Amino acid sequence: MSDIMNGMAMLIAAFHKYSGKEGDKLTLSKGELKDLLQNELGDIFGKSTDKAKVDKIFKDLDANADGTVDFQEYVALVACLTVLCNDFFTEK
């Protein structure tokens, strides 16, 4: 597989590693999202246990306000973080 296809497979695998532990296997609950952020993106978000921060991130991601984060909402987060990282490393 190409590098991009490997990256896509890794994004999918990371989502499904956490989804469904507390309900629907196609969405992330607030607790599942917290675990994903801490374990997979801890270098960016830190190991914060601040409930208010997790609540804000969850609310911002839950674009359709259904109380869960679906795959599309999760990918939007990863895409935004990727853009921010790219901007940070390409600044002169």
Side-chain angles (χ1 to χ4, degrees), residues 23-80:
D24 185 351
K25 67 180 183 175
L26 300 178
T27 62
L28 296 167
S29 66
K30 192 178 295 181
E32 291 165 342
L33 177 66
K34 179 183 174 187
D35 289 345
L36 185 149
L37 294 175
Q38 288 181 338
N39 296 326
E40 304 294 334
L41 296 167
D43 291 341
I44 294 172
F45 286 103
K47 298 292 183 188
S48 174
T49 56
D50 184 346
K51 184 179 181 319
K53 286 181 184 176
V54 173
D55 289 347
K56 171 127 177 59
I57 293 168
F58 187 85
K59 183 177 182 234
D60 291 346
L61 286 178
D62 186 14
N64 62 0
D66 68 352
T68 63
V69 172
D70 63 25
F71 187 76
Q72 186 171 342
E73 293 163 334
Y74 155 79
V75 169
L77 167 68
V78 176
C80 289

Side-chain angles (χ1 to χ4, degrees), residues 87-92:
D87 290 350
F88 175 80
F89 289 113
T90 56
E91 287 182 358
K92 295 179 182 178

Side-chain angles (χ1 to χ4, degrees), residues 6-16 36 71 74-75 78-79 82:
N6 278 326
M8 291 167 54
M10 291 170 60
L11 285 173
I12 293 167
F15 179 85
H16 290 292
L36 185 149
F71 187 76
Y74 155 79
V75 169
V78 176
T82 304

